[in-house]
Amino acid sequence: MVAGMISRRQLLSRLSCGFGLTALAGMAGAGAVVPRFRPRAKSVIFCYMSGGFSHVDSLDPKPELVKRAGQAMPVAVQRTQFNNNGTIYPSYWEYRRRGQSGTEISDLFPHIGSCADDLCVVRSMTAKFSEHAQGNFFMHSGFPFLGSPSAGAWMSYGLGSESENLPGFVVLKSGDSVAPHGGVGLFSNGFLPAMHQASFINADAGEAIPNIKPREPGSMQRGRLDFVNTLDRQFAARTAPGDMQVEAAITNAELAWRMPAAGPELCELRGETQATKKPYALDEGDPKTEAYGRQCLLARRLVERGVRFIELSCLSYGIGGGNAPNPWDQHGAIKDGHGKMGHQVDQPIAGLLKDLKARGLLDETLVIFAGEFGRTPFSQGSDGRDHNPYGFSMWLAGGGIRGGVAYGAADDFGYQAG
Protein backbone atom coordinates (compact mmCIF):
# COMPACT_ATOMS: atom_id res chain seq x y z
CA MET A 1 0.00 0.00 0.00
CA VAL A 2 1.33 3.45 -0.87
CA ALA A 3 2.24 5.49 2.19
CA GLY A 4 -0.48 7.87 3.21
CA MET A 5 -3.23 5.94 1.45
CA ILE A 6 -5.97 4.02 3.25
CA SER A 7 -7.38 0.61 2.43
CA ARG A 8 -10.86 -0.02 1.04
CA ARG A 9 -11.91 -1.48 4.41
CA GLN A 10 -10.70 1.60 6.26
CA LEU A 11 -12.49 3.88 3.81
CA LEU A 12 -15.80 2.06 4.20
CA SER A 13 -15.42 1.96 7.96
CA ARG A 14 -14.81 5.70 8.19
CA LEU A 15 -17.57 6.51 5.73
CA SER A 16 -20.06 4.36 7.60
CA CYS A 17 -19.34 6.31 10.76
CA GLY A 18 -19.72 9.52 8.82
CA PHE A 19 -23.11 8.52 7.47
CA GLY A 20 -24.32 7.71 10.96
CA LEU A 21 -23.08 11.02 12.36
CA THR A 22 -24.69 12.89 9.45
CA ALA A 23 -28.02 11.22 10.21
CA LEU A 24 -27.66 11.99 13.92
CA ALA A 25 -26.83 15.62 13.20
CA GLY A 26 -29.85 15.90 10.94
CA MET A 27 -32.14 14.47 13.59
CA ALA A 28 -30.72 16.80 16.24
CA GLY A 29 -31.09 19.90 14.04
CA ALA A 30 -34.03 22.02 13.10
CA GLY A 31 -36.95 20.12 11.67
CA ALA A 32 -35.92 16.86 13.37
CA VAL A 33 -38.59 14.21 13.68
CA VAL A 34 -39.62 14.09 17.33
CA PRO A 35 -41.40 10.97 18.60
CA ARG A 36 -45.07 11.62 19.33
CA PHE A 37 -45.02 9.22 22.24
CA ARG A 38 -42.69 8.34 25.08
CA PRO A 39 -40.61 5.27 24.18
CA ARG A 40 -41.13 2.62 26.84
CA ALA A 41 -39.62 -0.72 25.84
CA LYS A 42 -36.08 -1.16 27.13
CA SER A 43 -35.93 -4.94 26.68
CA VAL A 44 -37.55 -7.65 24.57
CA ILE A 45 -38.37 -11.23 25.61
CA PHE A 46 -39.10 -13.40 22.57
CA CYS A 47 -41.00 -16.61 23.33
CA TYR A 48 -40.43 -18.35 20.01
CA MET A 49 -42.74 -21.27 19.29
CA SER A 50 -40.56 -23.00 16.71
CA GLY A 51 -42.36 -25.30 14.29
CA GLY A 52 -45.48 -23.20 13.81
CA PHE A 53 -48.18 -23.44 16.48
CA SER A 54 -51.77 -23.67 15.28
CA HIS A 55 -53.52 -20.32 15.52
CA VAL A 56 -56.95 -21.86 14.78
CA ASP A 57 -56.49 -24.05 17.87
CA SER A 58 -55.34 -21.25 20.15
CA LEU A 59 -55.73 -17.55 19.34
CA ASP A 60 -58.18 -17.20 16.44
CA PRO A 61 -61.71 -18.62 17.01
CA LYS A 62 -63.55 -19.57 13.82
CA PRO A 63 -67.15 -20.78 14.29
CA GLU A 64 -67.30 -21.54 10.57
CA LEU A 65 -64.90 -24.43 11.12
CA VAL A 66 -67.42 -26.00 13.49
CA LYS A 67 -70.30 -25.48 11.07
CA ARG A 68 -68.40 -26.99 8.15
CA ALA A 69 -66.44 -29.70 9.94
CA GLY A 70 -65.70 -32.62 7.64
CA GLN A 71 -66.39 -30.64 4.46
CA ALA A 72 -63.95 -29.67 1.74
CA MET A 73 -62.63 -26.11 1.80
CA PRO A 74 -65.02 -23.91 -0.23
CA VAL A 75 -62.17 -21.61 -1.34
CA ALA A 76 -59.04 -22.26 -3.38
CA VAL A 77 -56.31 -24.00 -1.42
CA GLN A 78 -52.65 -23.21 -2.02
CA ARG A 79 -50.06 -25.96 -2.28
CA THR A 80 -49.05 -27.16 1.18
CA GLN A 81 -45.76 -28.58 2.38
CA PHE A 82 -46.88 -32.21 2.05
CA ASN A 83 -50.02 -31.80 -0.08
CA ASN A 84 -51.88 -34.44 1.94
CA ASN A 85 -54.89 -32.21 2.49
CA GLY A 86 -58.01 -33.41 4.23
CA THR A 87 -61.26 -31.71 5.18
CA ILE A 88 -62.10 -28.79 7.44
CA TYR A 89 -61.30 -29.53 11.07
CA PRO A 90 -62.43 -27.30 13.97
CA SER A 91 -60.30 -26.42 16.96
CA TYR A 92 -59.33 -29.28 19.23
CA TRP A 93 -59.74 -26.88 22.20
CA GLU A 94 -62.73 -24.83 23.26
CA TYR A 95 -62.49 -21.05 23.11
CA ARG A 96 -63.48 -18.85 26.03
CA ARG A 97 -63.72 -15.11 26.57
CA ARG A 98 -60.96 -14.11 28.92
CA GLY A 99 -60.53 -11.17 31.28
CA GLN A 100 -62.55 -7.97 31.28
CA SER A 101 -61.67 -7.48 27.62
CA GLY A 102 -63.35 -10.73 26.61
CA THR A 103 -60.52 -11.67 24.25
CA GLU A 104 -61.14 -15.20 23.01
CA ILE A 105 -58.30 -17.62 23.71
CA SER A 106 -58.65 -21.38 23.69
CA ASP A 107 -58.12 -23.88 26.50
CA LEU A 108 -54.76 -24.74 24.94
CA PHE A 109 -53.46 -21.68 26.85
CA PRO A 110 -55.63 -21.23 29.96
CA HIS A 111 -52.90 -19.58 32.05
CA ILE A 112 -51.89 -17.18 29.28
CA GLY A 113 -55.62 -16.55 28.85
CA SER A 114 -55.72 -15.27 32.43
CA CYS A 115 -53.43 -12.46 31.23
CA ALA A 116 -55.73 -11.54 28.32
CA ASP A 117 -56.13 -7.93 29.44
CA ASP A 118 -52.38 -7.42 28.98
CA LEU A 119 -52.24 -9.06 25.52
CA CYS A 120 -52.53 -7.59 22.07
CA VAL A 121 -53.44 -10.57 19.87
CA VAL A 122 -52.58 -9.98 16.21
CA ARG A 123 -54.69 -12.16 13.91
CA SER A 124 -53.46 -10.93 10.53
CA MET A 125 -49.89 -12.19 10.33
CA THR A 126 -48.49 -13.49 7.02
CA ALA A 127 -45.15 -14.92 5.95
CA LYS A 128 -43.61 -15.38 2.52
CA PHE A 129 -42.26 -18.85 3.22
CA SER A 130 -43.76 -22.16 4.28
CA GLU A 131 -40.49 -24.02 4.95
CA HIS A 132 -39.06 -23.94 8.46
CA ALA A 133 -35.53 -22.63 7.90
CA GLN A 134 -36.61 -19.84 5.59
CA GLY A 135 -39.54 -19.02 7.85
CA ASN A 136 -37.26 -18.89 10.89
CA PHE A 137 -34.76 -16.59 9.21
CA PHE A 138 -37.60 -14.40 7.96
CA MET A 139 -39.14 -14.11 11.43
CA HIS A 140 -35.80 -13.35 13.08
CA SER A 141 -34.24 -10.99 10.55
CA GLY A 142 -36.80 -10.11 7.88
CA PHE A 143 -34.82 -12.05 5.27
CA PRO A 144 -35.10 -15.75 4.35
CA PHE A 145 -31.40 -16.52 4.33
CA LEU A 146 -28.22 -16.40 6.38
CA GLY A 147 -26.19 -13.21 6.67
CA SER A 148 -28.53 -10.50 7.95
CA PRO A 149 -28.55 -9.31 11.56
CA SER A 150 -31.25 -10.77 13.75
CA ALA A 151 -33.66 -8.58 15.70
CA GLY A 152 -31.66 -9.27 18.87
CA ALA A 153 -28.45 -8.09 17.23
CA TRP A 154 -30.14 -4.90 16.06
CA MET A 155 -31.44 -4.27 19.59
CA SER A 156 -27.98 -4.75 21.03
CA TYR A 157 -26.43 -2.55 18.35
CA GLY A 158 -28.98 0.22 18.72
CA LEU A 159 -29.34 0.33 22.49
CA GLY A 160 -26.32 -1.51 23.89
CA SER A 161 -26.53 -3.33 27.20
CA GLU A 162 -27.24 -1.59 30.49
CA SER A 163 -25.10 -4.27 32.13
CA GLU A 164 -21.32 -4.02 32.07
CA ASN A 165 -20.98 -7.72 32.84
CA LEU A 166 -23.54 -9.32 30.51
CA PRO A 167 -24.07 -9.23 26.75
CA GLY A 168 -26.92 -7.31 25.16
CA PHE A 169 -28.40 -10.36 23.37
CA VAL A 170 -28.96 -13.73 25.07
CA VAL A 171 -30.57 -16.97 23.85
CA LEU A 172 -31.73 -19.29 26.64
CA LYS A 173 -31.72 -23.07 26.32
CA SER A 174 -32.59 -25.94 28.63
CA GLY A 175 -32.96 -29.71 28.52
CA ASP A 176 -32.91 -30.98 24.95
CA SER A 177 -33.80 -27.65 23.32
CA VAL A 178 -31.75 -26.80 20.25
CA ALA A 179 -31.71 -23.96 17.74
CA PRO A 180 -34.60 -24.03 15.26
CA HIS A 181 -33.91 -25.02 11.65
CA GLY A 182 -31.41 -22.48 10.38
CA GLY A 183 -29.15 -23.07 13.38
CA VAL A 184 -27.22 -20.46 15.33
CA GLY A 185 -27.20 -18.27 12.22
CA LEU A 186 -30.71 -17.23 13.25
CA PHE A 187 -29.10 -15.25 16.08
CA SER A 188 -26.28 -13.84 13.98
CA ASN A 189 -24.87 -10.33 14.09
CA GLY A 190 -24.71 -10.44 10.26
CA PHE A 191 -22.72 -7.43 9.07
CA LEU A 192 -22.85 -5.76 12.49
CA PRO A 193 -19.83 -6.00 14.83
CA ALA A 194 -19.42 -9.43 16.41
CA MET A 195 -20.17 -8.17 19.92
CA HIS A 196 -23.86 -8.06 18.94
CA GLN A 197 -24.32 -11.75 18.15
CA ALA A 198 -26.20 -13.87 20.68
CA SER A 199 -24.61 -15.44 23.73
CA PHE A 200 -26.12 -18.77 24.80
CA ILE A 201 -27.05 -19.64 28.38
CA ASN A 202 -28.16 -23.15 29.31
CA ALA A 203 -30.67 -22.63 32.09
CA ASP A 204 -30.29 -26.05 33.72
CA ALA A 205 -26.67 -27.01 32.98
CA GLY A 206 -24.06 -27.32 35.70
CA GLU A 207 -22.11 -24.58 33.95
CA ALA A 208 -24.80 -22.41 32.35
CA ILE A 209 -22.28 -20.38 30.37
CA PRO A 210 -19.52 -22.63 28.91
CA ASN A 211 -16.00 -21.98 30.21
CA ILE A 212 -17.21 -19.19 32.48
CA LYS A 213 -15.23 -20.33 35.50
CA PRO A 214 -11.58 -19.19 35.46
CA ARG A 215 -9.11 -22.05 35.05
CA GLU A 216 -6.25 -20.04 36.55
CA PRO A 217 -5.80 -17.28 39.17
CA GLY A 218 -7.50 -14.01 38.29
CA SER A 219 -4.30 -12.01 38.26
CA MET A 220 -2.71 -14.38 35.75
CA GLN A 221 -5.78 -14.33 33.51
CA ARG A 222 -5.90 -10.53 33.71
CA GLY A 223 -2.25 -10.37 32.72
CA ARG A 224 -2.86 -12.59 29.68
CA LEU A 225 -5.81 -10.46 28.62
CA ASP A 226 -3.81 -7.24 29.01
CA PHE A 227 -1.06 -8.71 26.82
CA VAL A 228 -3.55 -9.76 24.12
CA ASN A 229 -5.25 -6.39 24.37
CA THR A 230 -1.93 -4.62 23.77
CA LEU A 231 -1.26 -6.72 20.67
CA ASP A 232 -4.78 -6.12 19.38
CA ARG A 233 -4.47 -2.36 19.87
CA GLN A 234 -1.11 -2.30 18.10
CA PHE A 235 -2.59 -4.29 15.20
CA ALA A 236 -5.57 -1.95 14.99
CA ALA A 237 -3.42 1.16 15.03
CA ARG A 238 -1.03 -0.25 12.42
CA THR A 239 -3.31 -1.89 9.90
CA ALA A 240 -6.97 -1.26 10.68
CA PRO A 241 -7.62 1.99 12.54
CA GLY A 242 -11.31 2.35 13.23
CA ASP A 243 -12.10 -1.19 12.04
CA MET A 244 -15.33 -2.20 13.81
CA GLN A 245 -14.55 -5.92 13.70
CA VAL A 246 -11.21 -5.50 15.47
CA GLU A 247 -12.83 -3.26 18.06
CA ALA A 248 -15.57 -5.85 18.52
CA ALA A 249 -13.01 -8.60 19.14
CA ILE A 250 -11.34 -6.48 21.82
CA THR A 251 -14.70 -5.67 23.40
CA ASN A 252 -15.71 -9.35 23.41
CA ALA A 253 -12.52 -10.32 25.22
CA GLU A 254 -13.12 -7.69 27.89
CA LEU A 255 -16.74 -8.79 28.32
CA ALA A 256 -15.64 -12.41 28.70
CA TRP A 257 -13.32 -11.28 31.51
CA ARG A 258 -16.17 -9.52 33.32
CA MET A 259 -18.85 -12.20 32.85
CA PRO A 260 -17.59 -14.53 35.62
CA ALA A 261 -18.62 -11.84 38.07
CA ALA A 262 -22.23 -11.90 36.85
CA GLY A 263 -22.88 -15.22 35.10
CA PRO A 264 -22.93 -17.71 38.00
CA GLU A 265 -24.98 -15.38 40.21
CA LEU A 266 -27.48 -14.83 37.41
CA CYS A 267 -28.25 -18.54 37.08
CA GLU A 268 -28.36 -19.27 40.81
CA LEU A 269 -32.07 -19.37 41.69
CA ARG A 270 -31.78 -20.29 45.37
CA GLY A 271 -32.29 -16.64 46.26
CA GLU A 272 -35.75 -16.64 44.69
CA THR A 273 -38.60 -17.35 47.11
CA GLN A 274 -40.90 -20.33 46.70
CA ALA A 275 -43.77 -17.90 46.20
CA THR A 276 -41.92 -16.45 43.22
CA LYS A 277 -40.94 -19.83 41.74
CA LYS A 278 -44.35 -21.49 41.98
CA PRO A 279 -46.10 -19.45 39.22
CA TYR A 280 -43.26 -20.42 36.86
CA ALA A 281 -44.20 -24.10 37.33
CA LEU A 282 -40.77 -24.99 38.71
CA ASP A 283 -42.33 -27.72 40.85
CA GLU A 284 -44.98 -28.77 38.33
CA GLY A 285 -43.76 -32.34 37.81
CA ASP A 286 -43.20 -32.30 34.04
CA PRO A 287 -39.42 -31.95 33.51
CA LYS A 288 -39.89 -30.08 30.24
CA THR A 289 -42.38 -27.62 31.76
CA GLU A 290 -40.00 -27.04 34.66
CA ALA A 291 -37.10 -26.54 32.25
CA TYR A 292 -39.04 -23.94 30.28
CA GLY A 293 -40.07 -22.32 33.56
CA ARG A 294 -36.41 -21.87 34.47
CA GLN A 295 -35.88 -20.10 31.16
CA CYS A 296 -38.78 -17.75 31.91
CA LEU A 297 -37.47 -16.95 35.37
CA LEU A 298 -33.97 -16.35 34.00
CA ALA A 299 -35.48 -14.05 31.36
CA ARG A 300 -36.92 -11.86 34.12
CA ARG A 301 -33.56 -11.82 35.91
CA LEU A 302 -31.79 -10.85 32.68
CA VAL A 303 -34.22 -7.97 32.14
CA GLU A 304 -33.54 -6.78 35.69
CA ARG A 305 -29.82 -6.74 34.86
CA GLY A 306 -30.21 -4.65 31.72
CA VAL A 307 -29.98 -7.25 28.93
CA ARG A 308 -31.81 -5.92 25.87
CA PHE A 309 -33.03 -9.01 24.01
CA ILE A 310 -33.72 -12.50 25.38
CA GLU A 311 -35.04 -15.40 23.31
CA LEU A 312 -36.42 -18.59 24.87
CA SER A 313 -36.25 -22.10 23.36
CA CYS A 314 -38.97 -24.79 23.50
CA LEU A 315 -38.30 -28.47 24.23
CA SER A 316 -39.59 -31.31 22.06
CA TYR A 317 -41.78 -34.32 22.87
CA GLY A 318 -41.16 -35.86 19.43
CA ILE A 319 -44.85 -36.18 18.56
CA GLY A 320 -46.43 -35.93 15.11
CA GLY A 321 -43.29 -34.67 13.42
CA GLY A 322 -42.38 -32.23 16.18
CA ASN A 323 -38.65 -32.88 16.41
CA ALA A 324 -36.09 -30.96 18.46
CA PRO A 325 -35.67 -27.96 16.11
CA ASN A 326 -39.44 -27.79 15.43
CA PRO A 327 -41.28 -28.99 18.55
CA TRP A 328 -44.62 -27.41 17.50
CA ASP A 329 -44.58 -29.07 14.06
CA GLN A 330 -47.44 -31.56 14.40
CA HIS A 331 -48.26 -32.91 10.94
CA GLY A 332 -50.00 -35.74 12.78
CA ALA A 333 -51.32 -36.33 16.31
CA ILE A 334 -51.75 -32.59 16.74
CA LYS A 335 -54.05 -32.90 19.76
CA ASP A 336 -51.43 -34.90 21.66
CA GLY A 337 -48.42 -32.90 20.45
CA HIS A 338 -49.92 -29.42 20.78
CA GLY A 339 -51.48 -30.41 24.09
CA LYS A 340 -48.09 -31.29 25.56
CA MET A 341 -46.40 -28.23 24.04
CA GLY A 342 -49.13 -25.96 25.37
CA HIS A 343 -48.74 -27.46 28.83
CA GLN A 344 -44.98 -26.88 28.62
CA VAL A 345 -45.11 -23.14 27.96
CA ASP A 346 -48.51 -21.94 29.21
CA GLN A 347 -48.02 -21.59 32.96
CA PRO A 348 -44.36 -20.47 32.80
CA ILE A 349 -45.12 -17.66 30.33
CA ALA A 350 -48.15 -16.53 32.34
CA GLY A 351 -45.96 -16.59 35.45
CA LEU A 352 -43.39 -14.43 33.65
CA LEU A 353 -46.00 -11.86 32.59
CA LYS A 354 -47.47 -11.62 36.09
CA ASP A 355 -44.05 -11.42 37.74
CA LEU A 356 -42.89 -8.66 35.38
CA LYS A 357 -46.10 -6.75 36.04
CA ALA A 358 -45.84 -7.12 39.81
CA ARG A 359 -42.28 -5.76 39.73
CA GLY A 360 -43.17 -2.81 37.51
CA LEU A 361 -41.10 -4.23 34.63
CA LEU A 362 -43.82 -5.15 32.14
CA ASP A 363 -44.35 -1.56 31.05
CA GLU A 364 -40.74 -1.38 29.84
CA THR A 365 -40.41 -4.98 28.61
CA LEU A 366 -41.95 -6.11 25.32
CA VAL A 367 -42.92 -9.79 25.43
CA ILE A 368 -43.53 -11.46 22.05
CA PHE A 369 -45.16 -14.87 21.46
CA ALA A 370 -44.89 -16.09 17.85
CA GLY A 371 -43.91 -18.90 15.50
CA GLU A 372 -42.69 -18.85 11.91
CA PHE A 373 -46.17 -19.49 10.48
CA GLY A 374 -49.53 -20.98 11.46
CA ARG A 375 -51.29 -24.19 10.50
CA THR A 376 -54.07 -25.06 8.10
CA PRO A 377 -57.76 -25.05 9.11
CA PHE A 378 -58.13 -28.33 7.25
CA SER A 379 -56.46 -31.53 8.36
CA GLN A 380 -53.32 -33.13 7.06
CA GLY A 381 -54.13 -36.82 6.87
CA SER A 382 -56.50 -37.69 9.68
CA ASP A 383 -55.17 -35.83 12.73
CA GLY A 384 -52.53 -33.27 11.79
CA ARG A 385 -52.31 -29.80 10.26
CA ASP A 386 -49.87 -28.59 7.59
CA HIS A 387 -47.98 -25.27 7.46
CA ASN A 388 -50.00 -22.11 6.75
CA PRO A 389 -48.08 -18.87 6.05
CA TYR A 390 -51.09 -17.08 4.51
CA GLY A 391 -52.76 -16.03 7.74
CA PHE A 392 -51.85 -16.73 11.37
CA SER A 393 -51.66 -15.16 14.82
CA MET A 394 -49.25 -14.00 17.50
CA TRP A 395 -49.46 -11.82 20.59
CA LEU A 396 -47.52 -9.05 22.28
CA ALA A 397 -47.61 -7.70 25.82
CA GLY A 398 -45.96 -4.90 27.77
CA GLY A 399 -43.57 -2.29 26.40
CA GLY A 400 -46.34 0.25 25.94
CA ILE A 401 -48.53 -2.13 23.93
CA ARG A 402 -52.26 -1.65 24.43
CA GLY A 403 -53.58 -4.80 26.10
CA GLY A 404 -56.95 -6.49 25.93
CA VAL A 405 -57.33 -6.10 22.17
CA ALA A 406 -57.37 -8.31 19.09
CA TYR A 407 -55.94 -6.62 16.01
CA GLY A 408 -56.50 -7.63 12.38
CA ALA A 409 -58.38 -10.64 11.09
CA ALA A 410 -58.17 -13.67 8.87
CA ASP A 411 -61.03 -14.98 6.73
CA ASP A 412 -63.87 -17.05 8.17
CA PHE A 413 -61.68 -20.17 8.09
CA GLY A 414 -58.50 -18.68 9.60
CA TYR A 415 -56.79 -19.48 6.32
CA GLN A 416 -55.83 -16.15 4.74
CA ALA A 417 -55.36 -12.76 6.39
CA GLY A 418 -57.99 -10.26 5.30
Side-chain angles (χ1 to χ4, degrees):
M1 183 184 298
V2 179
M5 295 184 66
I6 62 175
S7 68
R8 178 175 177 274
R9 173 179 290 183
Q10 293 166 356
L11 174 65
L12 290 174
S13 176
R14 294 179 187 182
L15 283 177
S16 66
C17 293
F19 293 146
L21 291 174
T22 299
L24 180 60
M27 291 173 65
V33 177
V34 178
R36 297 182 182 179
F37 55 89
R38 178 177 63 88
R40 295 186 186 181
K42 296 180 180 179
S43 300
V44 173
I45 298 175
F46 191 12
C47 301
Y48 193 58
M49 304 294 110
S50 178
F53 73 95
S54 174
H55 60 295
V56 294
D57 287 297
S58 57
L59 300 177
D60 195 358
K62 295 299 178 186
E64 199 68 21
L65 299 184
V66 178
K67 294 178 184 178
R68 301 197 184 211
Q71 300 178 17
M73 285 286 285
V75 299
V77 171
Q78 303 291 326
R79 179 178 177 84
T80 55
Q81 195 75 5
F82 289 93
N83 242 25
N84 180 22
N85 303 336
T87 57
I88 292 172
Y89 211 103
S91 172
Y92 285 90
W93 289 269
E94 184 177 349
Y95 278 86
R96 304 179 193 277
R97 294 190 178 276
R98 313 279 180 170
Q100 293 183 351
S101 63
T103 302
E104 290 185 88
I105 297 173
S106 86
D107 287 342
L108 180 60
F109 298 128
H111 291 279
I112 291 174
S114 70
C115 303
D117 292 337
D118 293 312
L119 307 184
C120 174
V121 179
V122 182
R123 293 173 174 161
S124 53
M125 296 295 296
T126 63
K128 296 181 179 180
F129 311 96
S130 62
E131 185 273 328
H132 291 294
Q134 288 182 311
N136 290 330
F137 276 115
F138 186 64
M139 183 60 74
H140 282 78
S141 71
F143 296 91
F145 39 72
L146 180 68
S148 298
S150 67
W154 278 118
M155 279 282 293
S156 175
Y157 177 74
L159 298 179
S161 176
E162 290 186 329
S163 172
E164 292 185 354
N165 300 326
L166 292 169
F169 178 19
V170 169
V171 173
L172 294 172
K173 300 171 61 180
S174 54
D176 63 0
S177 63
V178 300
H181 278 317
V184 296
L186 297 172
F187 319 117
S188 169
N189 57 295
F191 48 77
L192 298 177
M195 71 185 78
H196 302 298
Q197 66 184 337
S199 296
F200 295 87
I201 294 179
N202 195 328
D204 52 12
E207 191 173 42
I209 304 173
N211 303 313
I212 194 67
K213 297 178 181 178
R215 302 292 192 260
E216 57 189 9
S219 58
M220 183 180 296
Q221 190 179 38
R222 181 69 251 180
R224 290 176 185 272
L225 184 59
D226 288 342
F227 175 68
V228 172
N229 191 307
T230 299
L231 295 179
D232 286 342
R233 294 292 180 190
Q234 290 175 351
F235 170 79
R238 184 174 65 255
T239 64
D243 189 301
M244 291 188 296
Q245 300 303 331
V246 175
E247 292 296 329
I250 296 172
T251 301
N252 278 345
E254 288 292 338
L255 177 60
W257 161 257
R258 296 193 299 270
M259 280 181 69
E265 181 275 333
L266 164 72
C267 301
E268 180 51 69
L269 303 182
R270 281 183 294 185
E272 300 284 352
T273 66
Q274 189 60 29
T276 298
K277 293 178 182 179
K278 186 175 179 60
Y280 285 93
L282 296 187
D283 57 356
E284 197 273 342
D286 178 354
K288 294 183 187 290
T289 301
E290 293 178 1
Y292 195 83
R294 281 191 290 275
Q295 288 188 47
C296 288
L297 182 50
L298 278 182
R300 188 218 81 204
R301 291 169 66 87
L302 285 164
V303 164
E304 288 178 317
R305 287 156 177 78
V307 175
R308 295 296 187 186
F309 197 100
I310 304 107
E311 180 164 338
L312 281 64
S313 307
C314 292
L315 294 82
S316 174
Y317 294 89
I319 297 173
N323 56 30
N326 308 309
W328 282 94
D329 192 32
Q330 272 78 57
H331 291 274
I334 192 169
K335 185 175 182 180
D336 188 16
H338 264 45
K340 285 185 168 60
M341 291 304 303
H343 183 75
Q344 176 188 139
V345 305
D346 180 41
Q347 184 179 338
I349 291 176
L352 171 63
L353 291 173
K354 292 173 182 177
D355 198 9
L356 288 171
K357 191 172 184 178
R359 295 170 186 266
L361 293 171
L362 186 60
D363 192 50
E364 59 187 39
T365 304
L366 179 63
V367 183
I368 303 172
F369 181 100
E372 65 268 43
F373 37 64
R375 306 203 81 83
T376 57
F378 48 88
S379 65
Q380 176 183 345
S382 61
D383 59 356
R385 296 192 193 272
D386 212 326
H387 306 170
N388 178 21
Y390 308 110
F392 58 101
S393 305
M394 62 173 289
W395 60 255
L396 308 97
I401 293 291
R402 180 184 172 191
V405 298
Y407 180 84
D411 61 24
D412 289 343
F413 305 94
Y415 184 43
Q416 295 184 328

